[in-house]
């Protein structure tokens, strides 16, 4: 199935992904440390990765919309869009790494758990750098708030 050809079930899944991302983003942003969008724990990343793994990369639109509306109140339209694209790329990168190295979703072997951990670390690192870059670029973080 093409990434741009969606069934009714796909649209329901995208809506559920967007809603779950949005709700958990709003919860996570209650504990933001700086810039209105920097947190220590970010549950929406796990939701986005799970959606991409279970239903394919065609769930990108749900992640994009959930992230955009989740960030909108604290960052503004432009920054919310930039962070939302980063959220999609984070989930895509994580899913690609896990598929590339043949993750068994049942996590029956130590290799699968290790692969999930490494993928989560790498994709989260990408997302963190992306987020700090756009928050700093758009003036929502001062140079003093960004760790050296």
């Amino acid at each position: 199935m093409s990434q741009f050809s969606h069934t009714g079930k796909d649209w329901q899944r995208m809506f559920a992904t967007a809603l779950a991302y949005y709700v958990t983003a709003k919860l996570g942003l209650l504990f933001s440390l700086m810039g209105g969008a920097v947190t220590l724990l970010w549950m929406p990343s796990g939701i986005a990765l799970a959606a991409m793994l279970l239903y394919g990369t065609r769930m990108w639109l749900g992640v994009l919309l959930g992230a955009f509306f989740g960030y909108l109140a604290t960052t503004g339209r432009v920054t919310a869009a930039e962070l939302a694209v980063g959220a999609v790329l984070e989930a895509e990168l994580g899913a690609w790494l896990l598929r590339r190295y043949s993750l068994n979703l049942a996590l029956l072997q130590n290799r699968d758990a290790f692969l999930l951990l490494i993928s989560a670390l790498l994709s989260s690192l990408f997302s963190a750098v992306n987020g700090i870059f756009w928050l700093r670029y758009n003036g929502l973080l001062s140079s003093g708030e960004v760790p050296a």
Side-chain angles (χ1 to χ4, degrees):
M1 179 180 296
S2 168
Q3 187 165 337
F4 299 104
S5 172
H6 302 293
T7 66
K9 273 279 197 221
D10 289 337
W11 288 106
Q12 291 172 349
R13 290 173 178 154
M14 274 190 279
F15 177 75
T17 299
L19 183 62
Y21 197 107
Y22 173 79
V23 169
T24 56
K26 295 309 268 182
L27 285 172
L29 290 173
L30 291 175
F31 305 101
S32 67
L33 301 174
M34 56 184 145
V38 177
T39 65
L40 291 177
L41 299 173
W42 192 243
M43 297 174 288
S45 293
I47 290 169
L49 180 60
M52 297 278 190
L53 285 173
L54 294 173
Y55 306 118
T57 57
R58 60 188 177 275
M59 294 296 119
W60 69 270
L61 184 58
V63 175
L64 184 77
L65 292 174
F68 177 77
F69 288 110
Y71 285 121
L72 189 59
T74 58
T75 63
R77 286 190 317 258
V78 172
T79 307
E82 293 160 345
L83 296 174
V85 169
V88 170
L89 293 175
E90 173 193 15
E92 290 276 0
L93 174 63
W96 177 82
L97 285 169
L98 293 172
R99 284 193 188 101
R100 168 77 173 83
Y101 294 101
S102 304
L103 172 78
N104 179 351
L105 289 175
L107 299 177
L108 297 175
Q109 297 177 351
N110 289 339
R111 174 197 176 281
D112 296 322
F114 181 73
L115 183 59
L116 183 60
L117 177 67
I118 295 301
S119 172
L121 288 173
L122 290 175
S123 60
S124 295
L125 178 62
F126 169 82
S127 182
V129 170
N130 176 69
I132 295 295
F133 174 80
W134 288 117
L135 290 170
R136 178 76 177 103
Y137 181 80
N138 291 316
L140 297 171
L141 284 179
S142 67
S143 60
E145 291 178 295
V146 179

